Amino acid sequence: MSDRLPGFSTLAVHAGAQPDPTTGARATPIYQTTSFVFNDADHAASLFGLQAFGNIYTRIGNPTNAVLEERVAALEGGTAALAVASGHAAQVVVLQQLLQPGDEFIAARKLYGGSINQFSHAFKSFGWNVVWADSDDIASFERAVTPRTKAIFIESIANPGGSITDIEAISTVARKAGVPLIVDNTLASPYLIRPIDHGADIVVHSLTKFLGGHGNSLGGIIVDAGTFDWSTGGKYPMLSEPRPEYHGIRLQETFGNFAFAIACRVLGLRDLGPALSPFNAFMILTGIETLPLRMQKHCDNAKAVAEFLAGHPAVASVSYAGLASDKYNQLARKYAPKGAGAVFTFSLKGGYDAGVGLVSKLQLFSHLANVGDTRSLVIHPASTTHSQLDDAAKVKSGAGPDVVRLSIGIEDKEDLIADLEQALGA
Ligand SMILES: *Cc1c(COP(=O)(O)O)cnc(C)c1O
């Protein structure tokens, strides 16, 4: 082997995986087992006491999931990762390590609709209070900081309009406030943007979307950048204080720059329980092997479709950061030079009715609530994903009544454009 560090495409295929030591199997096997036999009583005790790493029970860890964790950590440039059952589970597990009841976290208002719901309602019932800020106004994050702020949460490419977030500017606010920056990198994937390179401390994903990439398996993952010092000011007792669950060990002291990933596993996943099925981990690993190829095609198709729509007389506006005229184009050139992603919105001159009409006339696009599938998808956010918001909040989050969201797949772009053309013209 040469001393060359492997490139992104090589890592996407190989990181974390070895031929199976027992059988020689080259693809990562699905270790479809709930539990693992201990060598002896001492081995069992050391695993339970966190003195040794190893497999106990699939709720806490599984060898198929471990390959997925190592692979995504490598692609994101983190120290370690933890796979969980869904993107939403990743968000719960992350914040459970950081917030006590009565604490606050700041979140960008432009977010996946499900995250807006989760933060506004479910998290409130845990006593975790979200304070909204506007990613187009960095000072709004600074103004939102209070002594109870424990984290800042943003999306790298933000739902639903595909806007690009200035990660470095917001990471400066987080550093000054002494809190970690969490970046949901679902819409970009590490192929387009690696948030840790721009100052993120924690990256979360819905693996359900571009990483799995085929619309067939739910999953989520948490990546620890290893950058944050959890010991300062006693703000993060789950990481800095002796844990009664584990004979009084302090996680940061014991595990250093991957303590956050350990906390998520041994305090979050162990006790809350949203484990990823090894079968889903296998499906998602298979998807990741082609991530660089798919993501480039997704982006190239999205740009062609956005250009077509921008020139169509029935279209009022297109919000795609890959267009030279878009307000996020500068940020796209800086953060996502290979492409501005494949999820974006446009609005029709005919308003709400035209949006609903278009969705019903499209044939190749599937009308459903997902993104990041090989297939092209369409949805009208105001009546679906963002329907719980009031009108002003819909507009603020980029999901006004006239807005249609597309997730562009990897079909032939000419076929996608032809489908849109017939639906817009009819
Ligand atoms: C889908 C999605 C989520 C939630 O992920 P699930 O896997 O559906 O739980 C979170 N963030 C973004 C940006 C998403 O697209």
Side-chain angles (χ1 to χ4, degrees):
M1 281 291 270
S2 71
D3 324 327
R4 244 185 84 78
L5 286 176
F8 189 91
S9 296
T10 304
L11 292 173
V13 174
H14 290 284
Q18 301 292 336
D20 184 62
T22 316
T23 62
R26 181 63 269 213
T28 298
I30 304 171
Y31 289 94
Q32 192 68 23
T33 181
T34 55
S35 27
F36 302 85
V37 176
F38 305 121
N39 301 341
D40 53 40
D42 286 346
H43 179 225
S46 65
L47 290 175
F48 273 86
L50 295 183
Q51 281 106 27
F53 289 110
N55 298 306
I56 300 175
Y57 186 66
T58 285
R59 170 152 43 72
I60 308 167
N62 174 283
T64 310
N65 300 20
V67 175
L68 173 63
E69 289 158 352
E70 208 174 309
R71 186 160 307 169
V72 176
L75 294 176
E76 288 286 6
T79 52
L82 175 71
V84 293
S86 69
H88 269 7
Q91 294 168 190
V92 180
V93 168
V94 162
L95 288 184
Q96 192 224 1
Q97 311 321 311
L98 304 179
L99 273 72
Q100 307 291 314
D103 282 345
E104 296 170 4
F105 69 107
I106 303 169
R109 204 177 265 114
K110 281 200 189 111
L111 285 186
Y112 176 68
S115 300
I116 298 178
N117 284 335
Q118 188 191 43
F119 294 180
S120 307
H121 305 295
F123 285 1
K124 201 167 210 175
S125 74
F126 303 163
W128 305 344
N129 299 311
V130 63
V131 180
W132 299 107
D134 177 358
S135 351
D136 296 335
D137 172 14
I138 302 299
S140 71
F141 284 84
E142 245 161 319
R143 286 195 300 274
V145 173
T146 76
R148 299 223 68 157
T149 306
K150 294 295 174 73
I152 298 181
F153 187 102
I154 59 174
E155 290 179 2
S156 52
I157 298 183
N159 245 296
S163 55
I164 311 284
T165 308
D166 192 347
I167 303 170
E168 286 173 15
I170 297 172
S171 101
T172 303
V173 176
R175 294 248 172 300
K176 236 166 85 189
V179 303
L181 175 64
I182 306 162
V183 178
D184 180 340
N185 199 32
T186 299
L187 292 196
S189 89
Y191 175 73
L192 297 178
I193 301 179
R194 299 208 322 163
I196 292 171
D197 295 345
H198 301 290
D201 301 294
I202 298 161
V203 174
V204 292
H205 277 279
S206 169
L207 296 170
T208 317
K209 314 298 171 51
F210 291 99
L211 282 167
H214 294 70
N216 59 25
S217 306
L218 259 86
I221 202 157
I222 300 157
V223 183
D224 184 351
T227 44
F228 197 84
D229 180 1
W230 305 104
S231 65
T232 47
K235 262 162 99 168
Y236 300 100
M238 296 283 272
L239 288 125
S240 64
E241 298 308 306
R243 293 312 312 172
E245 299 94 329
Y246 291 103
H247 311 299
I249 71 167
R250 297 170 197 261
L251 294 180
Q252 172 157 34
E253 193 179 273
T254 309
F255 297 106
N257 71 357
F258 58 100
F260 187 75
I262 294 281
C264 288
R265 184 186 303 280
V266 304
L267 303 176
L269 185 57
R270 187 193 73 160
D271 293 351
L272 300 178
L276 178 69
S277 134
F279 180 79
N280 280 21
F282 171 83
M283 295 299 281
I284 294 162
L285 270 171
T286 304
I288 289 175
E289 293 180 9
T290 56
L291 175 72
L293 300 170
R294 285 186 291 106
M295 214 58 211
Q296 194 60 57
K297 176 90 170 171
H298 278 294
C299 289
D300 295 347
N301 278 357
K303 185 151 190 277
V305 170
E307 280 165 357
F308 161 76
L309 289 169
H312 196 282
V315 172
S317 64
V318 178
S319 164
Y320 182 59
L323 294 176
S325 58
D326 192 83
K327 86 187 237 212
Y328 298 102
N329 191 248
Q330 275 303 106
L331 287 169
R333 282 168 196 274
K334 171 174 176 175
Y335 287 103
K338 293 199 282 275
V343 176
F344 65 94
T345 54
F346 66 102
S347 65
L348 290 164
K349 289 181 182 155
Y352 183 96
D353 293 340
V356 172
L358 174 87
V359 168
S360 67
K361 286 179 203 131
L362 284 167
Q363 290 163 357
L364 190 54
F365 283 78
S366 302
H367 178 203
L368 53 73
N370 190 25
V371 295
D373 193 323
T374 50
R375 289 153 278 256
S376 289
L377 315 173
V378 62
I379 201 162
H380 179 239
S383 60
T384 55
T385 56
H386 289 66
S387 63
Q388 303 304 320
L389 306 181
D390 63 38
D391 286 348
K394 276 180 189 147
V395 171
K396 270 194 182 149
S397 62
D402 54 339
V403 169
V404 174
R405 185 185 75 187
L406 300 179
S407 174
I408 301 297
I410 59 173
E411 302 96 333
D412 289 308
K413 62 179 185 283
E414 295 80 7
D415 293 327
L416 300 175
I417 290 171
D419 193 29
L420 284 161
E421 194 154 37
Q422 67 76 21
L424 286 166

